[in-house]
Amino acid sequence: QPQSHVTPQTETKRNAMMQLTAAKAALSPCARRWAAGGCRSRGSLLLNAGTTNPIGRRSLSAITLPSGHHRHGAGAANNIDARTNGIRRPWENQILFASTDAAKDDDATKDSEKDDAPTKEDKPPKVDVPKDEMEFQAETRQLLDIVTHSLYTDKEVFLRELVSNASDALEKLRHVQATGTLSGSGEDEESVPLEIRITTDEAENTLTITDTGIGMTKDELVSNLGTIARSGSKAFVKEMQRKVEGDLANDVDPYGQGIIGKFGVGFYSGFMVADKVDVRTKSAGKISSDGDSIAESADEAIVWESTGTGKYSVSPLADDIRQDRGTSVVLHLKPELEQYANESTIETILKKYSNFVGFPIFLNGNRVNTIDAIWLQDPKEVGEDKHSAFYKYVSHAYDEPLSTIHFRVDAPLDIKALFYIPSFHSEKYGMGRMDPGVSLYSRKVLIEAKSPHIMPDWCRFIKGVVDSEDLPLSISREKPQDTALVGKMRKALTRKLLSTLSKMMKKETTKYKDEFYKEYAFFLKEGICQDHESQEALSKLLYFETSKGMAGELVSLDEYVSRMPPEQKEIYYLFAPSRELALQSPYLEGFLDGNREVIFIFSAIDDFVMANLKKFEGRNLVSADRSEVDLPEKDGEKNEEGKDEKEEDGESSSSDSKLSTEEAKEFCNWFQTTLSSKVSACKTTHRLTSSPAVVTDSESGAMRRMMRIVETQEGGAGAMPLPKQTVEINPNHEIIAGIHRLKDADPVLAKVLAEQVLDNCLVAAGLLDDGRSMLPRLNDLMLCVVKSSVDKNEFDQDTVPMAEVSKDEDGAVESSVDEGIQESPKETKDEDASKDKK
């Protein structure tokens, strides 16, 4: 047919037929025979099935390509069905050669598809493909080496892991004793205290950790220690949870919250420091077949020995070695790690990681863990003495805490926290940046000391602990695992801290201002610049001095807003090095005249705070050096009227001391042209009263100084070019009017004065990098003033005295000349000419 008469359906059929013909031609003879039902090629991949294709004809019943004739291995591999172990059944896979939408548009094709639809009778028989199920294998020695040498960050963690195992053994025995399922034990067994004893032997270079817990039988020993990553504690917890519904009332710990272990790898950390480990144990009993009681064990004490090279041995314990109920782990330390046989080293590690384990820990006969985990207790039951002792322990300080925050959070997970606010911090003494002060615990065992993840960085002054039994941990139990969950926990803890500070601010205002804010205001301001989620809450905790308050009187932003007049829509602030300089600033003149209160900020961090905060309660924070400040117009009009009245009364200078509108415009053009390299624009303003000019819309002076310091530290010259400034002049000031008259009479002097006016503006704005640049100009101006004054005095001294005229008693006029010297007319004429010259 002509190309114009070819329909899309016809074109689709034609392309599909060509593809089918090419596919048949690509088949090997073996594949064709297999498709006819007479041959199967081992190792082939099934690609097509006997179903109807979209063009209405039955395709091959099955098409396979033997491994030697396969042309498109990658494409075929993508069709492997994992549910059948890599082999698809012939009737489950099909290759579509054309779009099904094109076939549906053709009535003839629909009829053909209906006639050729597969039925149960003509479906190919199911082919049973044999499959082999395999189990993953592991190189035991290599796996043990990874667990013992590559899993933990610090070698000292081994003691935490072994003490935790001992605590779990004691917790299991306590549980079965409390539930009454331990039978056959005598009074002597029950009288043995539940405790952990650690012994160091520097002579033998050994360390022994002994517990009086439930112990292990030979089968349990082989099962728990002979299988890496099998946790006996986790299995025990599951068993308790299985029976929790039937005996919840009598179970002292139905959910196993006292159990620490869960991964089954902590024991092998002992091989990090020991070249041989002996485990001596005697079981208190074993779980009976019904799973509901524990019968007395007749097993004698046994010993498990291994060097950590992939093999271990189990044998009866020698008669000359005593082993009571429980377990003793003996570490034969490596020669280069003999410090772990030192008592003081072990005591330091125990107090760091295991100081709050629920059972007594004795080191060479002396108890180590004497401080209770008071964060788990009811806040109402913890006294000041306990808080004082615990604060000194966690902060390593000797002062008393300023405030205590003891609380519990249920979302996003169960969290118990205890925070302290110290009475002072060390950063102000130049001792460097403090580390985070809150440590992360799980079931009273230290997970991460001074954790940087659970509190924002600005909260590093807080000391305390956070404990969560449900927190997902890494397999080494050194860091939390779920980053998103830790982030939610951090938000919950931060909200609680901010809420407590807000209550202190409202109920204990004096304490908050004089003690807390004076000491920790810097951290709150740092939080506004870093923690954007807490900006709004932190901004309510800030205090500042204002233009209407006295020196040292602090006002919160809420109090400032409450004192704003109704027509004021913005919050104004002014940066200055001190309160005295702020009150003398030319930028404050218009606000004082318009009865507007201005916040004073005195440090660079305050400038950063305002720049980051931007708004408070829907009101913009605006710097007083902006040109768009909304000052009342009536105040400016009143000032102008007042000045006019004073001029009329003779209280001010003549009209020459102010510029008219045209003169002011002319002066601005001259000023911008003369100082074109430094001034981008010049305009008049009525916000000034006693100052001749200011620069507006400039960069922050504090920011500029900070950037100069950074650039200097990085090796730069520190000479950042100052951008062109926008200058606003006061047309009513005498200096501006005087320069305007001089610009034509003495252009050089007028330019010098204009440059000095600009530098004065930069000084007021804090933008002048180095004031020494003004010295030559100031010297010239002073020299000019001095010469002018000296010449005037000389002129006054050289002037001939006026004749004194007086009347006598008769009214006659008498005239006399000083010293009675009569000057000749010629001398007088020459003297007059000299005076005129001068």
Side-chain angles (χ1 to χ4, degrees), residues 394-408:
V394 298
S395 64
H396 304 288
Y398 298 97
D399 62 319
E400 296 297 327
L402 177 64
S403 181
T404 301
I405 309 173
H406 191 181
F407 62 97
R408 179 172 181 171

mmCIF file with all atom_site columns, all heavy atoms in Angstrom, residues 394-408:
data_model
loop_
_atom_site.group_PDB
_atom_site.id
_atom_site.type_symbol
_atom_site.label_atom_id
_atom_site.label_alt_id
_atom_site.label_comp_id
_atom_site.label_asym_id
_atom_site.label_entity_id
_atom_site.label_seq_id
_atom_site.pdbx_PDB_ins_code
_atom_site.Cartn_x
_atom_site.Cartn_y
_atom_site.Cartn_z
_atom_site.occupancy
_atom_site.B_iso_or_equiv
_atom_site.pdbx_formal_charge
_atom_site.auth_seq_id
_atom_site.auth_comp_id
_atom_site.auth_asym_id
_atom_site.auth_atom_id
_atom_site.pdbx_PDB_model_num
ATOM 1   N N   . VAL A 1 394 ? 29.331 13.677 87.502 1.00 0.00 ? 394 VAL A N   1
ATOM 2   C CA  . VAL A 1 394 ? 29.202 13.764 86.041 1.00 0.00 ? 394 VAL A CA  1
ATOM 3   C C   . VAL A 1 394 ? 29.924 14.974 85.467 1.00 0.00 ? 394 VAL A C   1
ATOM 4   O O   . VAL A 1 394 ? 30.333 14.974 84.303 1.00 0.00 ? 394 VAL A O   1
ATOM 5   C CB  . VAL A 1 394 ? 27.718 13.799 85.615 1.00 0.00 ? 394 VAL A CB  1
ATOM 6   C CG1 . VAL A 1 394 ? 27.017 12.526 86.024 1.00 0.00 ? 394 VAL A CG1 1
ATOM 7   C CG2 . VAL A 1 394 ? 27.003 15.009 86.199 1.00 0.00 ? 394 VAL A CG2 1
ATOM 8   N N   . SER A 1 395 ? 30.107 16.035 86.260 1.00 0.00 ? 395 SER A N   1
ATOM 9   C CA  . SER A 1 395 ? 30.725 17.255 85.747 1.00 0.00 ? 395 SER A CA  1
ATOM 10  C C   . SER A 1 395 ? 32.191 17.391 86.134 1.00 0.00 ? 395 SER A C   1
ATOM 11  O O   . SER A 1 395 ? 32.883 18.270 85.611 1.00 0.00 ? 395 SER A O   1
ATOM 12  C CB  . SER A 1 395 ? 29.970 18.486 86.260 1.00 0.00 ? 395 SER A CB  1
ATOM 13  O OG  . SER A 1 395 ? 30.066 18.579 87.666 1.00 0.00 ? 395 SER A OG  1
ATOM 14  N N   . HIS A 1 396 ? 32.641 16.547 87.058 1.00 0.00 ? 396 HIS A N   1
ATOM 15  C CA  . HIS A 1 396 ? 34.017 16.632 87.559 1.00 0.00 ? 396 HIS A CA  1
ATOM 16  C C   . HIS A 1 396 ? 34.302 18.039 88.088 1.00 0.00 ? 396 HIS A C   1
ATOM 17  O O   . HIS A 1 396 ? 35.370 18.615 87.856 1.00 0.00 ? 396 HIS A O   1
ATOM 18  C CB  . HIS A 1 396 ? 35.021 16.262 86.472 1.00 0.00 ? 396 HIS A CB  1
ATOM 19  C CG  . HIS A 1 396 ? 34.792 14.920 85.869 1.00 0.00 ? 396 HIS A CG  1
ATOM 20  N ND1 . HIS A 1 396 ? 35.040 13.728 86.532 1.00 0.00 ? 396 HIS A ND1 1
ATOM 21  C CD2 . HIS A 1 396 ? 34.298 14.558 84.653 1.00 0.00 ? 396 HIS A CD2 1
ATOM 22  C CE1 . HIS A 1 396 ? 34.736 12.712 85.757 1.00 0.00 ? 396 HIS A CE1 1
ATOM 23  N NE2 . HIS A 1 396 ? 34.278 13.180 84.608 1.00 0.00 ? 396 HIS A NE2 1
ATOM 24  N N   . ALA A 1 397 ? 33.325 18.602 88.776 1.00 0.00 ? 397 ALA A N   1
ATOM 25  C CA  . ALA A 1 397 ? 33.445 19.952 89.326 1.00 0.00 ? 397 ALA A CA  1
ATOM 26  C C   . ALA A 1 397 ? 33.249 19.904 90.838 1.00 0.00 ? 397 ALA A C   1
ATOM 27  O O   . ALA A 1 397 ? 32.887 18.871 91.413 1.00 0.00 ? 397 ALA A O   1
ATOM 28  C CB  . ALA A 1 397 ? 32.429 20.885 88.674 1.00 0.00 ? 397 ALA A CB  1
ATOM 29  N N   . TYR A 1 398 ? 33.452 21.064 91.463 1.00 0.00 ? 398 TYR A N   1
ATOM 30  C CA  . TYR A 1 398 ? 33.333 21.146 92.917 1.00 0.00 ? 398 TYR A CA  1
ATOM 31  C C   . TYR A 1 398 ? 32.301 22.170 93.362 1.00 0.00 ? 398 TYR A C   1
ATOM 32  O O   . TYR A 1 398 ? 32.103 22.370 94.553 1.00 0.00 ? 398 TYR A O   1
ATOM 33  C CB  . TYR A 1 398 ? 34.700 21.505 93.533 1.00 0.00 ? 398 TYR A CB  1
ATOM 34  C CG  . TYR A 1 398 ? 35.756 20.464 93.250 1.00 0.00 ? 398 TYR A CG  1
ATOM 35  C CD1 . TYR A 1 398 ? 36.642 20.626 92.185 1.00 0.00 ? 398 TYR A CD1 1
ATOM 36  C CD2 . TYR A 1 398 ? 35.856 19.316 94.020 1.00 0.00 ? 398 TYR A CD2 1
ATOM 37  C CE1 . TYR A 1 398 ? 37.615 19.674 91.906 1.00 0.00 ? 398 TYR A CE1 1
ATOM 38  C CE2 . TYR A 1 398 ? 36.817 18.353 93.755 1.00 0.00 ? 398 TYR A CE2 1
ATOM 39  C CZ  . TYR A 1 398 ? 37.697 18.539 92.705 1.00 0.00 ? 398 TYR A CZ  1
ATOM 40  O OH  . TYR A 1 398 ? 38.642 17.578 92.431 1.00 0.00 ? 398 TYR A OH  1
ATOM 41  N N   . ASP A 1 399 ? 31.656 22.835 92.409 1.00 0.00 ? 399 ASP A N   1
ATOM 42  C CA  . ASP A 1 399 ? 30.627 23.797 92.769 1.00 0.00 ? 399 ASP A CA  1
ATOM 43  C C   . ASP A 1 399 ? 29.280 23.106 92.889 1.00 0.00 ? 399 ASP A C   1
ATOM 44  O O   . ASP A 1 399 ? 29.142 21.912 92.613 1.00 0.00 ? 399 ASP A O   1
ATOM 45  C CB  . ASP A 1 399 ? 30.558 24.896 91.708 1.00 0.00 ? 399 ASP A CB  1
ATOM 46  C CG  . ASP A 1 399 ? 30.189 24.343 90.342 1.00 0.00 ? 399 ASP A CG  1
ATOM 47  O OD1 . ASP A 1 399 ? 30.712 23.265 89.978 1.00 0.00 ? 399 ASP A OD1 1
ATOM 48  O OD2 . ASP A 1 399 ? 29.377 24.967 89.627 1.00 0.00 ? 399 ASP A OD2 1
ATOM 49  N N   . GLU A 1 400 ? 28.293 23.854 93.306 1.00 0.00 ? 400 GLU A N   1
ATOM 50  C CA  . GLU A 1 400 ? 26.931 23.344 93.398 1.00 0.00 ? 400 GLU A CA  1
ATOM 51  C C   . GLU A 1 400 ? 26.164 23.735 92.136 1.00 0.00 ? 400 GLU A C   1
ATOM 52  O O   . GLU A 1 400 ? 26.396 24.812 91.570 1.00 0.00 ? 400 GLU A O   1
ATOM 53  C CB  . GLU A 1 400 ? 26.228 23.902 94.630 1.00 0.00 ? 400 GLU A CB  1
ATOM 54  C CG  . GLU A 1 400 ? 26.846 23.478 95.945 1.00 0.00 ? 400 GLU A CG  1
ATOM 55  C CD  . GLU A 1 400 ? 26.774 21.971 96.168 1.00 0.00 ? 400 GLU A CD  1
ATOM 56  O OE1 . GLU A 1 400 ? 25.790 21.355 95.709 1.00 0.00 ? 400 GLU A OE1 1
ATOM 57  O OE2 . GLU A 1 400 ? 27.703 21.420 96.791 1.00 0.00 ? 400 GLU A OE2 1
ATOM 58  N N   . PRO A 1 401 ? 25.260 22.900 91.664 1.00 0.00 ? 401 PRO A N   1
ATOM 59  C CA  . PRO A 1 401 ? 24.518 23.238 90.435 1.00 0.00 ? 401 PRO A CA  1
ATOM 60  C C   . PRO A 1 401 ? 23.595 24.429 90.633 1.00 0.00 ? 401 PRO A C   1
ATOM 61  O O   . PRO A 1 401 ? 23.004 24.601 91.699 1.00 0.00 ? 401 PRO A O   1
ATOM 62  C CB  . PRO A 1 401 ? 23.739 21.952 90.141 1.00 0.00 ? 401 PRO A CB  1
ATOM 63  C CG  . PRO A 1 401 ? 23.606 21.273 91.459 1.00 0.00 ? 401 PRO A CG  1
ATOM 64  C CD  . PRO A 1 401 ? 24.848 21.603 92.225 1.00 0.00 ? 401 PRO A CD  1
ATOM 65  N N   . LEU A 1 402 ? 23.502 25.230 89.600 1.00 0.00 ? 402 LEU A N   1
ATOM 66  C CA  . LEU A 1 402 ? 22.600 26.370 89.635 1.00 0.00 ? 402 LEU A CA  1
ATOM 67  C C   . LEU A 1 402 ? 21.147 25.931 89.547 1.00 0.00 ? 402 LEU A C   1
ATOM 68  O O   . LEU A 1 402 ? 20.265 26.501 90.188 1.00 0.00 ? 402 LEU A O   1
ATOM 69  C CB  . LEU A 1 402 ? 22.933 27.329 88.483 1.00 0.00 ? 402 LEU A CB  1
ATOM 70  C CG  . LEU A 1 402 ? 22.052 28.562 88.317 1.00 0.00 ? 402 LEU A CG  1
ATOM 71  C CD1 . LEU A 1 402 ? 22.191 29.470 89.533 1.00 0.00 ? 402 LEU A CD1 1
ATOM 72  C CD2 . LEU A 1 402 ? 22.430 29.319 87.046 1.00 0.00 ? 402 LEU A CD2 1
ATOM 73  N N   . SER A 1 403 ? 20.893 24.895 88.752 1.00 0.00 ? 403 SER A N   1
ATOM 74  C CA  . SER A 1 403 ? 19.530 24.389 88.590 1.00 0.00 ? 403 SER A CA  1
ATOM 75  C C   . SER A 1 403 ? 19.581 22.921 88.203 1.00 0.00 ? 403 SER A C   1
ATOM 76  O O   . SER A 1 403 ? 20.559 22.460 87.602 1.00 0.00 ? 403 SER A O   1
ATOM 77  C CB  . SER A 1 403 ? 18.777 25.188 87.516 1.00 0.00 ? 403 SER A CB  1
ATOM 78  O OG  . SER A 1 403 ? 17.452 24.730 87.363 1.00 0.00 ? 403 SER A OG  1
ATOM 79  N N   . THR A 1 404 ? 18.525 22.182 88.557 1.00 0.00 ? 404 THR A N   1
ATOM 80  C CA  . THR A 1 404 ? 18.420 20.748 88.264 1.00 0.00 ? 404 THR A CA  1
ATOM 81  C C   . THR A 1 404 ? 17.171 20.499 87.430 1.00 0.00 ? 404 THR A C   1
ATOM 82  O O   . THR A 1 404 ? 16.093 21.029 87.734 1.00 0.00 ? 404 THR A O   1
ATOM 83  C CB  . THR A 1 404 ? 18.342 19.933 89.567 1.00 0.00 ? 404 THR A CB  1
ATOM 84  O OG1 . THR A 1 404 ? 19.517 20.182 90.342 1.00 0.00 ? 404 THR A OG1 1
ATOM 85  C CG2 . THR A 1 404 ? 18.260 18.446 89.263 1.00 0.00 ? 404 THR A CG2 1
ATOM 86  N N   . ILE A 1 405 ? 17.322 19.709 86.376 1.00 0.00 ? 405 ILE A N   1
ATOM 87  C CA  . ILE A 1 405 ? 16.200 19.367 85.495 1.00 0.00 ? 405 ILE A CA  1
ATOM 88  C C   . ILE A 1 405 ? 16.121 17.842 85.437 1.00 0.00 ? 405 ILE A C   1
ATOM 89  O O   . ILE A 1 405 ? 16.931 17.196 84.769 1.00 0.00 ? 405 ILE A O   1
ATOM 90  C CB  . ILE A 1 405 ? 16.381 19.959 84.088 1.00 0.00 ? 405 ILE A CB  1
ATOM 91  C CG1 . ILE A 1 405 ? 16.690 21.458 84.167 1.00 0.00 ? 405 ILE A CG1 1
ATOM 92  C CG2 . ILE A 1 405 ? 15.142 19.719 83.238 1.00 0.00 ? 405 ILE A CG2 1
ATOM 93  C CD1 . ILE A 1 405 ? 17.049 22.084 82.834 1.00 0.00 ? 405 ILE A CD1 1
ATOM 94  N N   . HIS A 1 406 ? 15.159 17.265 86.124 1.00 0.00 ? 406 HIS A N   1
ATOM 95  C CA  . HIS A 1 406 ? 14.981 15.805 86.213 1.00 0.00 ? 406 HIS A CA  1
ATOM 96  C C   . HIS A 1 406 ? 13.619 15.473 85.616 1.00 0.00 ? 406 HIS A C   1
ATOM 97  O O   . HIS A 1 406 ? 12.576 15.904 86.128 1.00 0.00 ? 406 HIS A O   1
ATOM 98  C CB  . HIS A 1 406 ? 15.049 15.361 87.681 1.00 0.00 ? 406 HIS A CB  1
ATOM 99  C CG  . HIS A 1 406 ? 15.141 13.878 87.847 1.00 0.00 ? 406 HIS A CG  1
ATOM 100 N ND1 . HIS A 1 406 ? 15.202 13.255 89.081 1.00 0.00 ? 406 HIS A ND1 1
ATOM 101 C CD2 . HIS A 1 406 ? 15.187 12.876 86.934 1.00 0.00 ? 406 HIS A CD2 1
ATOM 102 C CE1 . HIS A 1 406 ? 15.290 11.954 88.924 1.00 0.00 ? 406 HIS A CE1 1
ATOM 103 N NE2 . HIS A 1 406 ? 15.265 11.707 87.616 1.00 0.00 ? 406 HIS A NE2 1
ATOM 104 N N   . PHE A 1 407 ? 13.594 14.726 84.522 1.00 0.00 ? 407 PHE A N   1
ATOM 105 C CA  . PHE A 1 407 ? 12.327 14.499 83.840 1.00 0.00 ? 407 PHE A CA  1
ATOM 106 C C   . PHE A 1 407 ? 12.359 13.186 83.074 1.00 0.00 ? 407 PHE A C   1
ATOM 107 O O   . PHE A 1 407 ? 13.404 12.527 82.966 1.00 0.00 ? 407 PHE A O   1
ATOM 108 C CB  . PHE A 1 407 ? 12.006 15.658 82.876 1.00 0.00 ? 407 PHE A CB  1
ATOM 109 C CG  . PHE A 1 407 ? 13.016 15.835 81.774 1.00 0.00 ? 407 PHE A CG  1
ATOM 110 C CD1 . PHE A 1 407 ? 12.796 15.300 80.514 1.00 0.00 ? 407 PHE A CD1 1
ATOM 111 C CD2 . PHE A 1 407 ? 14.183 16.546 81.995 1.00 0.00 ? 407 PHE A CD2 1
ATOM 112 C CE1 . PHE A 1 407 ? 13.724 15.456 79.500 1.00 0.00 ? 407 PHE A CE1 1
ATOM 113 C CE2 . PHE A 1 407 ? 15.116 16.711 80.986 1.00 0.00 ? 407 PHE A CE2 1
ATOM 114 C CZ  . PHE A 1 407 ? 14.893 16.166 79.736 1.00 0.00 ? 407 PHE A CZ  1
ATOM 115 N N   . ARG A 1 408 ? 11.209 12.844 82.527 1.00 0.00 ? 408 ARG A N   1
ATOM 116 C CA  . ARG A 1 408 ? 11.054 11.644 81.720 1.00 0.00 ? 408 ARG A CA  1
ATOM 117 C C   . ARG A 1 408 ? 10.208 11.982 80.502 1.00 0.00 ? 408 ARG A C   1
ATOM 118 O O   . ARG A 1 408 ? 9.202  12.695 80.609 1.00 0.00 ? 408 ARG A O   1
ATOM 119 C CB  . ARG A 1 408 ? 10.382 10.537 82.532 1.00 0.00 ? 408 ARG A CB  1
ATOM 120 C CG  . ARG A 1 408 ? 10.160 9.247  81.757 1.00 0.00 ? 408 ARG A CG  1
ATOM 121 C CD  . ARG A 1 408 ? 9.682  8.138  82.671 1.00 0.00 ? 408 ARG A CD  1
ATOM 122 N NE  . ARG A 1 408 ? 9.483  6.882  81.960 1.00 0.00 ? 408 ARG A NE  1
ATOM 123 C CZ  . ARG A 1 408 ? 9.235  5.723  82.569 1.00 0.00 ? 408 ARG A CZ  1
ATOM 124 N NH1 . ARG A 1 408 ? 9.171  5.675  83.891 1.00 0.00 ? 408 ARG A NH1 1
ATOM 125 N NH2 . ARG A 1 408 ? 9.068  4.622  81.855 1.00 0.00 ? 408 ARG A NH2 1
#
